Every structure is written in structure tokens, then in C-alpha cells.
Amino acid sequence: MPSGTVAVEEAEPPMRWRDRDMEALRARGLAVPVDGIQPGQIADSFLAARDGARVHNAVDIMARKGTPVLAADDGTILKVGTNTLGGNVIWAFDPSHRWVYYYAHLDRFRPGIREGQPLSRGEVIGYVGTTGNAPKDAPHLHFQVLRYLDGKHYSEGSPVNPLPLFVGTTVSH
């Protein structure tokens, strides 16, 4: 090495913030948000085609109508309402406000559920149904995980497949 030259070790490239957030979510894991369902019972419908050129970007968790829907993680309820595709829906933040969870096609909401309410993993928030554009003979929970993007509406985040994040069901009812 020439005189006056300092050896510099190759450092690993810094982990991007999205990678860090994803790692944190993987480490925490998500409860399967339908009572009595285990991860191996859920088909991977994340990349499935939907009407038009849409991609599903979520998983459908099949269950009997009225089965309790559970909070997949601790957090806060952002929105309780209805829309054309999802029917009765709940949007929630995770504790870090980096991830948004979308629960759709609910038959009904748990009585007393409201926006701004803190959530605990495994807490009942609603019940499996067929509202919105769900087939009436196929009750299920449409569950989506989105990376919250600063400056965007919570529904405009980057979707990630929740299936590999599930660690099982936690029941608190």
C-alpha cells in the first residue's frame, strides 16, 4: 500500500428504511386475523388477477359467515366504514404507524368499535361476511397490509403479501 494511504474496509451497504421496516414487521409477526384459522389454511391470492387489470394485493381468508375477525397486530383504528369493493371495512395502523392493515367484506363490526380506538392483537373487531363485491356464497375476510407512505392517503401505500408474516391466531374474546 502506498505511503499515506489508509486501508478502508468494505462496509455492507446500509439497510434501506423499507427493508428495516419489513424486517421489524417479520420479527413481530402477525396473528391470523380470523378466529380458528392457521396460516397453512390460507391460499396465497396476493398476485391473483381481479376484474380488469387489477391485481388482488391481499389475501382472502375463507371462513364461515359470522366468524370473529381479530386484530392482526396492536395498533390504532384509522377508519370504520363502507366502500363499494370492500363493503364493511376497517383500516388500522400498526404501533409504529409504518404499516396499515385493511379488513374488508365484514358482515358487521364489533359493537362499540370506533376510529381512534387502540387495538390489541387478537381483539375481536368484526365478523366475516360477504359485503361489497364479495361473492354471496363465499364468506371471507379480505386482508391487506400496506406500507404507509408519508404524504399519501393510508389507502395508497405499497402492498406487501401478509401470508409469510402470519404466526398463528391469538384469541382474546
PDB file of all heavy atoms in Angstrom, residues 11-47:
ATOM      1  N   ALA A  11     -17.696  -1.871   3.681  1.00  0.00           N
ATOM      2  CA  ALA A  11     -18.829  -1.963   4.605  1.00  0.00           C
ATOM      3  C   ALA A  11     -20.020  -2.543   3.857  1.00  0.00           C
ATOM      4  O   ALA A  11     -20.143  -2.376   2.647  1.00  0.00           O
ATOM      5  CB  ALA A  11     -19.175  -0.581   5.146  1.00  0.00           C
ATOM      6  N   GLU A  12     -20.879  -3.236   4.612  1.00  0.00           N
ATOM      7  CA  GLU A  12     -22.115  -3.715   3.994  1.00  0.00           C
ATOM      8  C   GLU A  12     -22.940  -2.509   3.587  1.00  0.00           C
ATOM      9  O   GLU A  12     -22.919  -1.488   4.265  1.00  0.00           O
ATOM     10  CB  GLU A  12     -22.920  -4.546   5.006  1.00  0.00           C
ATOM     11  CG  GLU A  12     -22.380  -5.922   5.216  1.00  0.00           C
ATOM     12  CD  GLU A  12     -23.319  -6.735   6.082  1.00  0.00           C
ATOM     13  OE1 GLU A  12     -24.549  -6.656   5.874  1.00  0.00           O
ATOM     14  OE2 GLU A  12     -22.813  -7.429   6.956  1.00  0.00           O
ATOM     15  N   PRO A  13     -23.657  -2.601   2.486  1.00  0.00           N
ATOM     16  CA  PRO A  13     -24.493  -1.463   2.112  1.00  0.00           C
ATOM     17  C   PRO A  13     -25.522  -1.215   3.222  1.00  0.00           C
ATOM     18  O   PRO A  13     -26.009  -2.164   3.848  1.00  0.00           O
ATOM     19  CB  PRO A  13     -25.172  -1.904   0.814  1.00  0.00           C
ATOM     20  CG  PRO A  13     -24.902  -3.351   0.671  1.00  0.00           C
ATOM     21  CD  PRO A  13     -23.776  -3.713   1.578  1.00  0.00           C
ATOM     22  N   PRO A  14     -25.829   0.051   3.490  1.00  0.00           N
ATOM     23  CA  PRO A  14     -26.793   0.327   4.553  1.00  0.00           C
ATOM     24  C   PRO A  14     -28.161  -0.253   4.202  1.00  0.00           C
ATOM     25  O   PRO A  14     -28.557  -0.277   3.041  1.00  0.00           O
ATOM     26  CB  PRO A  14     -26.841   1.854   4.618  1.00  0.00           C
ATOM     27  CG  PRO A  14     -26.305   2.321   3.301  1.00  0.00           C
ATOM     28  CD  PRO A  14     -25.390   1.242   2.802  1.00  0.00           C
ATOM     29  N   MET A  15     -28.848  -0.753   5.222  1.00  0.00           N
ATOM     30  CA  MET A  15     -30.173  -1.313   5.004  1.00  0.00           C
ATOM     31  C   MET A  15     -31.137  -0.157   4.724  1.00  0.00           C
ATOM     32  O   MET A  15     -31.153   0.822   5.448  1.00  0.00           O
ATOM     33  CB  MET A  15     -30.622  -2.099   6.253  1.00  0.00           C
ATOM     34  CG  MET A  15     -31.914  -2.843   6.052  1.00  0.00           C
ATOM     35  SD  MET A  15     -32.431  -3.743   7.531  1.00  0.00           S
ATOM     36  CE  MET A  15     -31.457  -5.201   7.407  1.00  0.00           C
ATOM     37  N   ARG A  16     -31.887  -0.272   3.670  1.00  0.00           N
ATOM     38  CA  ARG A  16     -32.862   0.767   3.344  1.00  0.00           C
ATOM     39  C   ARG A  16     -33.963   0.769   4.383  1.00  0.00           C
ATOM     40  O   ARG A  16     -34.273  -0.248   4.990  1.00  0.00           O
ATOM     41  CB  ARG A  16     -33.451   0.526   1.965  1.00  0.00           C
ATOM     42  CG  ARG A  16     -32.419   0.640   0.867  1.00  0.00           C
ATOM     43  CD  ARG A  16     -33.006   0.417  -0.485  1.00  0.00           C
ATOM     44  NE  ARG A  16     -34.015  -0.633  -0.460  1.00  0.00           N
ATOM     45  CZ  ARG A  16     -34.787  -0.946  -1.477  1.00  0.00           C
ATOM     46  NH1 ARG A  16     -34.683  -0.303  -2.589  1.00  0.00           N
ATOM     47  NH2 ARG A  16     -35.677  -1.915  -1.395  1.00  0.00           N
ATOM     48  N   TRP A  17     -34.604   1.931   4.579  1.00  0.00           N
ATOM     49  CA  TRP A  17     -35.644   2.040   5.598  1.00  0.00           C
ATOM     50  C   TRP A  17     -36.780   1.070   5.341  1.00  0.00           C
ATOM     51  O   TRP A  17     -37.334   0.512   6.275  1.00  0.00           O
ATOM     52  CB  TRP A  17     -36.148   3.474   5.733  1.00  0.00           C
ATOM     53  CG  TRP A  17     -36.780   4.053   4.494  1.00  0.00           C
ATOM     54  CD1 TRP A  17     -36.171   4.798   3.530  1.00  0.00           C
ATOM     55  CD2 TRP A  17     -38.139   3.923   4.089  1.00  0.00           C
ATOM     56  NE1 TRP A  17     -37.058   5.142   2.551  1.00  0.00           N
ATOM     57  CE2 TRP A  17     -38.283   4.619   2.865  1.00  0.00           C
ATOM     58  CE3 TRP A  17     -39.260   3.282   4.627  1.00  0.00           C
ATOM     59  CZ2 TRP A  17     -39.492   4.698   2.191  1.00  0.00           C
ATOM     60  CZ3 TRP A  17     -40.459   3.369   3.944  1.00  0.00           C
ATOM     61  CH2 TRP A  17     -40.557   4.069   2.737  1.00  0.00           C
ATOM     62  N   ARG A  18     -37.130   0.825   4.090  1.00  0.00           N
ATOM     63  CA  ARG A  18     -38.207  -0.130   3.793  1.00  0.00           C
ATOM     64  C   ARG A  18     -37.808  -1.532   4.223  1.00  0.00           C
ATOM     65  O   ARG A  18     -38.621  -2.280   4.734  1.00  0.00           O
ATOM     66  CB  ARG A  18     -38.568  -0.110   2.319  1.00  0.00           C
ATOM     67  CG  ARG A  18     -39.285   1.144   1.931  1.00  0.00           C
ATOM     68  CD  ARG A  18     -39.687   1.139   0.492  1.00  0.00           C
ATOM     69  NE  ARG A  18     -40.227   2.450   0.179  1.00  0.00           N
ATOM     70  CZ  ARG A  18     -40.497   2.869  -1.012  1.00  0.00           C
ATOM     71  NH1 ARG A  18     -40.296   2.086  -2.041  1.00  0.00           N
ATOM     72  NH2 ARG A  18     -40.976   4.068  -1.222  1.00  0.00           N
ATOM     73  N   ASP A  19     -36.540  -1.883   3.988  1.00  0.00           N
ATOM     74  CA  ASP A  19     -36.059  -3.197   4.411  1.00  0.00           C
ATOM     75  C   ASP A  19     -36.102  -3.316   5.929  1.00  0.00           C
ATOM     76  O   ASP A  19     -36.497  -4.344   6.468  1.00  0.00           O
ATOM     77  CB  ASP A  19     -34.632  -3.439   3.915  1.00  0.00           C
ATOM     78  CG  ASP A  19     -34.548  -3.522   2.392  1.00  0.00           C
ATOM     79  OD1 ASP A  19     -35.562  -3.855   1.753  1.00  0.00           O
ATOM     80  OD2 ASP A  19     -33.466  -3.243   1.856  1.00  0.00           O
ATOM     81  N   ARG A  20     -35.691  -2.245   6.627  1.00  0.00           N
ATOM     82  CA  ARG A  20     -35.725  -2.254   8.098  1.00  0.00           C
ATOM     83  C   ARG A  20     -37.152  -2.415   8.601  1.00  0.00           C
ATOM     84  O   ARG A  20     -37.406  -3.175   9.522  1.00  0.00           O
ATOM     85  CB  ARG A  20     -35.120  -0.966   8.670  1.00  0.00           C
ATOM     86  CG  ARG A  20     -33.613  -0.921   8.689  1.00  0.00           C
ATOM     87  CD  ARG A  20     -33.108   0.217   9.559  1.00  0.00           C
ATOM     88  NE  ARG A  20     -33.748   1.491   9.257  1.00  0.00           N
ATOM     89  CZ  ARG A  20     -33.303   2.378   8.370  1.00  0.00           C
ATOM     90  NH1 ARG A  20     -32.226   2.129   7.670  1.00  0.00           N
ATOM     91  NH2 ARG A  20     -33.936   3.521   8.187  1.00  0.00           N
ATOM     92  N   ASP A  21     -38.076  -1.674   8.006  1.00  0.00           N
ATOM     93  CA  ASP A  21     -39.474  -1.763   8.423  1.00  0.00           C
ATOM     94  C   ASP A  21     -40.034  -3.160   8.177  1.00  0.00           C
ATOM     95  O   ASP A  21     -40.753  -3.714   9.006  1.00  0.00           O
ATOM     96  CB  ASP A  21     -40.334  -0.735   7.682  1.00  0.00           C
ATOM     97  CG  ASP A  21     -40.041   0.692   8.104  1.00  0.00           C
ATOM     98  OD1 ASP A  21     -39.339   0.885   9.116  1.00  0.00           O
ATOM     99  OD2 ASP A  21     -40.510   1.610   7.409  1.00  0.00           O
ATOM    100  N   MET A  22     -39.675  -3.741   7.039  1.00  0.00           N
ATOM    101  CA  MET A  22     -40.141  -5.094   6.706  1.00  0.00           C
ATOM    102  C   MET A  22     -39.555  -6.104   7.683  1.00  0.00           C
ATOM    103  O   MET A  22     -40.269  -7.000   8.148  1.00  0.00           O
ATOM    104  CB  MET A  22     -39.743  -5.417   5.264  1.00  0.00           C
ATOM    105  CG  MET A  22     -40.471  -6.548   4.650  1.00  0.00           C
ATOM    106  SD  MET A  22     -42.216  -6.168   4.466  1.00  0.00           S
ATOM    107  CE  MET A  22     -42.823  -7.823   4.542  1.00  0.00           C
ATOM    108  N   GLU A  23     -38.288  -5.963   8.007  1.00  0.00           N
ATOM    109  CA  GLU A  23     -37.651  -6.862   8.980  1.00  0.00           C
ATOM    110  C   GLU A  23     -38.329  -6.763  10.340  1.00  0.00           C
ATOM    111  O   GLU A  23     -38.560  -7.771  10.999  1.00  0.00           O
ATOM    112  CB  GLU A  23     -36.160  -6.546   9.131  1.00  0.00           C
ATOM    113  CG  GLU A  23     -35.258  -7.346   8.242  1.00  0.00           C
ATOM    114  CD  GLU A  23     -35.565  -8.828   8.218  1.00  0.00           C
ATOM    115  OE1 GLU A  23     -35.544  -9.501   9.271  1.00  0.00           O
ATOM    116  OE2 GLU A  23     -35.859  -9.337   7.127  1.00  0.00           O
ATOM    117  N   ALA A  24     -38.645  -5.537  10.758  1.00  0.00           N
ATOM    118  CA  ALA A  24     -39.314  -5.334  12.054  1.00  0.00           C
ATOM    119  C   ALA A  24     -40.691  -5.994  12.042  1.00  0.00           C
ATOM    120  O   ALA A  24     -41.093  -6.633  13.024  1.00  0.00           O
ATOM    121  CB  ALA A  24     -39.431  -3.852  12.377  1.00  0.00           C
ATOM    122  N   LEU A  25     -41.417  -5.876  10.933  1.00  0.00           N
ATOM    123  CA  LEU A  25     -42.733  -6.496  10.837  1.00  0.00           C
ATOM    124  C   LEU A  25     -42.611  -8.020  10.833  1.00  0.00           C
ATOM    125  O   LEU A  25     -43.382  -8.707  11.507  1.00  0.00           O
ATOM    126  CB  LEU A  25     -43.456  -6.009   9.580  1.00  0.00           C
ATOM    127  CG  LEU A  25     -44.910  -6.432   9.428  1.00  0.00           C
ATOM    128  CD1 LEU A  25     -45.757  -5.953  10.603  1.00  0.00           C
ATOM    129  CD2 LEU A  25     -45.478  -5.911   8.115  1.00  0.00           C
ATOM    130  N   ARG A  26     -41.633  -8.551  10.105  1.00  0.00           N
ATOM    131  CA  ARG A  26     -41.416 -10.006  10.099  1.00  0.00           C
ATOM    132  C   ARG A  26     -41.095 -10.515  11.497  1.00  0.00           C
ATOM    133  O   ARG A  26     -41.594 -11.547  11.917  1.00  0.00           O
ATOM    134  CB  ARG A  26     -40.261 -10.366   9.167  1.00  0.00           C
ATOM    135  CG  ARG A  26     -40.660 -10.622   7.762  1.00  0.00           C
ATOM    136  CD  ARG A  26     -39.508 -11.234   6.958  1.00  0.00           C
ATOM    137  NE  ARG A  26     -39.702 -10.932   5.571  1.00  0.00           N
ATOM    138  CZ  ARG A  26     -39.087  -9.977   4.901  1.00  0.00           C
ATOM    139  NH1 ARG A  26     -38.194  -9.218   5.482  1.00  0.00           N
ATOM    140  NH2 ARG A  26     -39.348  -9.775   3.632  1.00  0.00           N
ATOM    141  N   ALA A  27     -40.252  -9.790  12.208  1.00  0.00           N
ATOM    142  CA  ALA A  27     -39.854 -10.202  13.562  1.00  0.00           C
ATOM    143  C   ALA A  27     -41.042 -10.188  14.508  1.00  0.00           C
ATOM    144  O   ALA A  27     -41.169 -11.060  15.364  1.00  0.00           O
ATOM    145  CB  ALA A  27     -38.748  -9.289  14.080  1.00  0.00           C
ATOM    146  N   ARG A  28     -41.920  -9.215  14.354  1.00  0.00           N
ATOM    147  CA  ARG A  28     -43.095  -9.124  15.220  1.00  0.00           C
ATOM    148  C   ARG A  28     -44.132 -10.168  14.829  1.00  0.00           C
ATOM    149  O   ARG A  28     -44.796 -10.737  15.676  1.00  0.00           O
ATOM    150  CB  ARG A  28     -43.672  -7.707  15.108  1.00  0.00           C
ATOM    151  CG  ARG A  28     -44.607  -7.352  16.214  1.00  0.00           C
ATOM    152  CD  ARG A  28     -44.918  -5.864  16.311  1.00  0.00           C
ATOM    153  NE  ARG A  28     -45.631  -5.355  15.158  1.00  0.00           N
ATOM    154  CZ  ARG A  28     -45.155  -4.420  14.334  1.00  0.00           C
ATOM    155  NH1 ARG A  28     -43.963  -3.909  14.527  1.00  0.00           N
ATOM    156  NH2 ARG A  28     -45.872  -3.999  13.321  1.00  0.00           N
ATOM    157  N   GLY A  29     -44.273 -10.397  13.530  1.00  0.00           N
ATOM    158  CA  GLY A  29     -45.268 -11.342  13.036  1.00  0.00           C
ATOM    159  C   GLY A  29     -46.671 -10.811  13.213  1.00  0.00           C
ATOM    160  O   GLY A  29     -46.913  -9.882  13.976  1.00  0.00           O
ATOM    161  N   LEU A  30     -47.589 -11.391  12.481  1.00  0.00           N
ATOM    162  CA  LEU A  30     -48.994 -11.008  12.557  1.00  0.00           C
ATOM    163  C   LEU A  30     -49.822 -12.210  12.981  1.00  0.00           C
ATOM    164  O   LEU A  30     -49.556 -13.329  12.551  1.00  0.00           O
ATOM    165  CB  LEU A  30     -49.500 -10.530  11.190  1.00  0.00           C
ATOM    166  CG  LEU A  30     -48.832  -9.297  10.599  1.00  0.00           C
ATOM    167  CD1 LEU A  30     -49.399  -9.010   9.214  1.00  0.00           C
ATOM    168  CD2 LEU A  30     -48.993  -8.093  11.518  1.00  0.00           C
ATOM    169  N   ALA A  31     -50.814 -11.962  13.803  1.00  0.00           N
ATOM    170  CA  ALA A  31     -51.784 -13.005  14.123  1.00  0.00           C
ATOM    171  C   ALA A  31     -52.686 -13.187  12.911  1.00  0.00           C
ATOM    172  O   ALA A  31     -53.015 -12.220  12.225  1.00  0.00           O
ATOM    173  CB  ALA A  31     -52.622 -12.597  15.331  1.00  0.00           C
ATOM    174  N   VAL A  32     -53.062 -14.411  12.620  1.00  0.00           N
ATOM    175  CA  VAL A  32     -54.052 -14.636  11.569  1.00  0.00           C
ATOM    176  C   VAL A  32     -55.330 -13.938  12.040  1.00  0.00           C
ATOM    177  O   VAL A  32     -55.807 -14.187  13.147  1.00  0.00           O
ATOM    178  CB  VAL A  32     -54.297 -16.135  11.326  1.00  0.00           C
ATOM    179  CG1 VAL A  32     -55.453 -16.337  10.354  1.00  0.00           C
ATOM    180  CG2 VAL A  32     -53.035 -16.807  10.804  1.00  0.00           C
ATOM    181  N   PRO A  33     -55.880 -13.039  11.217  1.00  0.00           N
ATOM    182  CA  PRO A  33     -56.989 -12.227  11.693  1.00  0.00           C
ATOM    183  C   PRO A  33     -58.379 -12.861  11.619  1.00  0.00           C
ATOM    184  O   PRO A  33     -59.377 -12.148  11.676  1.00  0.00           O
ATOM    185  CB  PRO A  33     -56.896 -10.978  10.801  1.00  0.00           C
ATOM    186  CG  PRO A  33     -56.285 -11.477   9.545  1.00  0.00           C
ATOM    187  CD  PRO A  33     -55.346 -12.579   9.942  1.00  0.00           C
ATOM    188  N   VAL A  34     -58.455 -14.167  11.517  1.00  0.00           N
ATOM    189  CA  VAL A  34     -59.743 -14.859  11.570  1.00  0.00           C
ATOM    190  C   VAL A  34     -59.643 -15.964  12.610  1.00  0.00           C
ATOM    191  O   VAL A  34     -58.733 -16.799  12.552  1.00  0.00           O
ATOM    192  CB  VAL A  34     -60.149 -15.429  10.191  1.00  0.00           C
ATOM    193  CG1 VAL A  34     -61.454 -16.214  10.292  1.00  0.00           C
ATOM    194  CG2 VAL A  34     -60.284 -14.303   9.163  1.00  0.00           C
ATOM    195  N   ASP A  35     -60.558 -15.946  13.556  1.00  0.00           N
ATOM    196  CA  ASP A  35     -60.559 -16.905  14.657  1.00  0.00           C
ATOM    197  C   ASP A  35     -60.569 -18.345  14.155  1.00  0.00           C
ATOM    198  O   ASP A  35     -61.359 -18.707  13.284  1.00  0.00           O
ATOM    199  CB  ASP A  35     -61.792 -16.653  15.536  1.00  0.00           C
ATOM    200  CG  ASP A  35     -61.749 -17.412  16.844  1.00  0.00           C
ATOM    201  OD1 ASP A  35     -60.651 -17.789  17.292  1.00  0.00           O
ATOM    202  OD2 ASP A  35     -62.830 -17.628  17.427  1.00  0.00           O
ATOM    203  N   GLY A  36     -59.640 -19.158  14.681  1.00  0.00           N
ATOM    204  CA  GLY A  36     -59.601 -20.580  14.376  1.00  0.00           C
ATOM    205  C   GLY A  36     -58.873 -20.952  13.103  1.00  0.00           C
ATOM    206  O   GLY A  36     -58.759 -22.132  12.782  1.00  0.00           O
ATOM    207  N   ILE A  37     -58.364 -19.982  12.357  1.00  0.00           N
ATOM    208  CA  ILE A  37     -57.659 -20.263  11.108  1.00  0.00           C
ATOM    209  C   ILE A  37     -56.154 -20.206  11.357  1.00  0.00           C
ATOM    210  O   ILE A  37     -55.660 -19.297  12.012  1.00  0.00           O
ATOM    211  CB  ILE A  37     -58.055 -19.253  10.002  1.00  0.00           C
ATOM    212  CG1 ILE A  37     -59.559 -19.258   9.758  1.00  0.00           C
ATOM    213  CG2 ILE A  37     -57.274 -19.505   8.718  1.00  0.00           C
ATOM    214  CD1 ILE A  37     -60.118 -20.543   9.190  1.00  0.00           C
ATOM    215  N   GLN A  38     -55.445 -21.180  10.823  1.00  0.00           N
ATOM    216  CA  GLN A  38     -53.987 -21.231  10.926  1.00  0.00           C
ATOM    217  C   GLN A  38     -53.370 -20.809   9.586  1.00  0.00           C
ATOM    218  O   GLN A  38     -54.019 -20.932   8.537  1.00  0.00           O
ATOM    219  CB  GLN A  38     -53.537 -22.646  11.306  1.00  0.00           C
ATOM    220  CG  GLN A  38     -53.988 -23.071  12.693  1.00  0.00           C
ATOM    221  CD  GLN A  38     -53.490 -22.121  13.778  1.00  0.00           C
ATOM    222  OE1 GLN A  38     -52.321 -21.750  13.813  1.00  0.00           O
ATOM    223  NE2 GLN A  38     -54.393 -21.712  14.664  1.00  0.00           N
ATOM    224  N   PRO A  39     -52.128 -20.341   9.583  1.00  0.00           N
ATOM    225  CA  PRO A  39     -51.504 -19.865   8.343  1.00  0.00           C
ATOM    226  C   PRO A  39     -51.558 -20.867   7.181  1.00  0.00           C
ATOM    227  O   PRO A  39     -51.808 -20.470   6.046  1.00  0.00           O
ATOM    228  CB  PRO A  39     -50.056 -19.584   8.749  1.00  0.00           C
ATOM    229  CG  PRO A  39     -50.140 -19.258  10.212  1.00  0.00           C
ATOM    230  CD  PRO A  39     -51.241 -20.157  10.747  1.00  0.00           C
ATOM    231  N   GLY A  40     -51.377 -22.149   7.451  1.00  0.00           N
ATOM    232  CA  GLY A  40     -51.383 -23.156   6.397  1.00  0.00           C
ATOM    233  C   GLY A  40     -52.733 -23.358   5.730  1.00  0.00           C
ATOM    234  O   GLY A  40     -52.816 -23.996   4.683  1.00  0.00           O
ATOM    235  N   GLN A  41     -53.784 -22.813   6.305  1.00  0.00           N
ATOM    236  CA  GLN A  41     -55.124 -22.929   5.730  1.00  0.00           C
ATOM    237  C   GLN A  41     -55.450 -21.802   4.754  1.00  0.00           C
ATOM    238  O   GLN A  41     -56.524 -21.793   4.168  1.00  0.00           O
ATOM    239  CB  GLN A  41     -56.171 -22.922   6.853  1.00  0.00           C
ATOM    240  CG  GLN A  41     -56.079 -24.111   7.789  1.00  0.00           C
ATOM    241  CD  GLN A  41     -57.053 -23.948   8.937  1.00  0.00           C
ATOM    242  OE1 GLN A  41     -56.736 -23.344   9.959  1.00  0.00           O
ATOM    243  NE2 GLN A  41     -58.244 -24.484   8.763  1.00  0.00           N
ATOM    244  N   ILE A  42     -54.532 -20.860   4.589  1.00  0.00           N
ATOM    245  CA  ILE A  42     -54.802 -19.678   3.769  1.00  0.00           C
ATOM    246  C   ILE A  42     -54.116 -19.834   2.415  1.00  0.00           C
ATOM    247  O   ILE A  42     -52.903 -20.031   2.344  1.00  0.00           O
ATOM    248  CB  ILE A  42     -54.292 -18.406   4.471  1.00  0.00           C
ATOM    249  CG1 ILE A  42     -54.935 -18.275   5.851  1.00  0.00           C
ATOM    250  CG2 ILE A  42     -54.580 -17.171   3.613  1.00  0.00           C
ATOM    251  CD1 ILE A  42     -54.285 -17.221   6.726  1.00  0.00           C
ATOM    252  N   ALA A  43     -54.891 -19.736   1.343  1.00  0.00           N
ATOM    253  CA  ALA A  43     -54.334 -19.782  -0.010  1.00  0.00           C
ATOM    254  C   ALA A  43     -53.675 -18.441  -0.325  1.00  0.00           C
ATOM    255  O   ALA A  43     -54.158 -17.389   0.099  1.00  0.00           O
ATOM    256  CB  ALA A  43     -55.439 -20.070  -1.023  1.00  0.00           C
ATOM    257  N   ASP A  44     -52.580 -18.479  -1.060  1.00  0.00           N
ATOM    258  CA  ASP A  44     -51.896 -17.242  -1.436  1.00  0.00           C
ATOM    259  C   ASP A  44     -52.583 -16.649  -2.662  1.00  0.00           C
ATOM    260  O   ASP A  44     -52.337 -17.060  -3.795  1.00  0.00           O
ATOM    261  CB  ASP A  44     -50.418 -17.516  -1.723  1.00  0.00           C
ATOM    262  CG  ASP A  44     -49.618 -16.243  -1.904  1.00  0.00           C
ATOM    263  OD1 ASP A  44     -50.227 -15.148  -1.986  1.00  0.00           O
ATOM    264  OD2 ASP A  44     -48.380 -16.334  -1.962  1.00  0.00           O
ATOM    265  N   SER A  45     -53.425 -15.661  -2.430  1.00  0.00           N
ATOM    266  CA  SER A  45     -54.142 -14.984  -3.515  1.00  0.00           C
ATOM    267  C   SER A  45     -53.596 -13.580  -3.762  1.00  0.00           C
ATOM    268  O   SER A  45     -54.232 -12.773  -4.438  1.00  0.00           O
ATOM    269  CB  SER A  45     -55.637 -14.927  -3.193  1.00  0.00           C
ATOM    270  OG  SER A  45     -55.856 -14.265  -1.956  1.00  0.00           O
ATOM    271  N   PHE A  46     -52.407 -13.288  -3.233  1.00  0.00           N
ATOM    272  CA  PHE A  46     -51.849 -11.941  -3.293  1.00  0.00           C
ATOM    273  C   PHE A  46     -51.708 -11.434  -4.734  1.00  0.00           C
ATOM    274  O   PHE A  46     -52.079 -10.305  -5.034  1.00  0.00           O
ATOM    275  CB  PHE A  46     -50.489 -11.895  -2.580  1.00  0.00           C
ATOM    276  CG  PHE A  46     -49.923 -10.509  -2.457  1.00  0.00           C
ATOM    277  CD1 PHE A  46     -50.426  -9.611  -1.531  1.00  0.00           C
ATOM    278  CD2 PHE A  46     -48.877 -10.098  -3.270  1.00  0.00           C
ATOM    279  CE1 PHE A  46     -49.918  -8.325  -1.422  1.00  0.00           C
ATOM    280  CE2 PHE A  46     -48.353  -8.822  -3.165  1.00  0.00           C
ATOM    281  CZ  PHE A  46     -48.878  -7.935  -2.238  1.00  0.00           C
ATOM    282  N   LEU A  47     -51.186 -12.243  -5.621  1.00  0.00           N
ATOM    283  CA  LEU A  47     -50.962 -11.813  -7.006  1.00  0.00           C
ATOM    284  C   LEU A  47     -52.094 -12.219  -7.955  1.00  0.00           C
ATOM    285  O   LEU A  47     -51.973 -12.042  -9.180  1.00  0.00           O
ATOM    286  CB  LEU A  47     -49.630 -12.359  -7.521  1.00  0.00           C
ATOM    287  CG  LEU A  47     -48.394 -11.821  -6.803  1.00  0.00           C
ATOM    288  CD1 LEU A  47     -47.130 -12.525  -7.305  1.00  0.00           C
ATOM    289  CD2 LEU A  47     -48.281 -10.314  -6.948  1.00  0.00           C
TER     290      LEU A  47
END
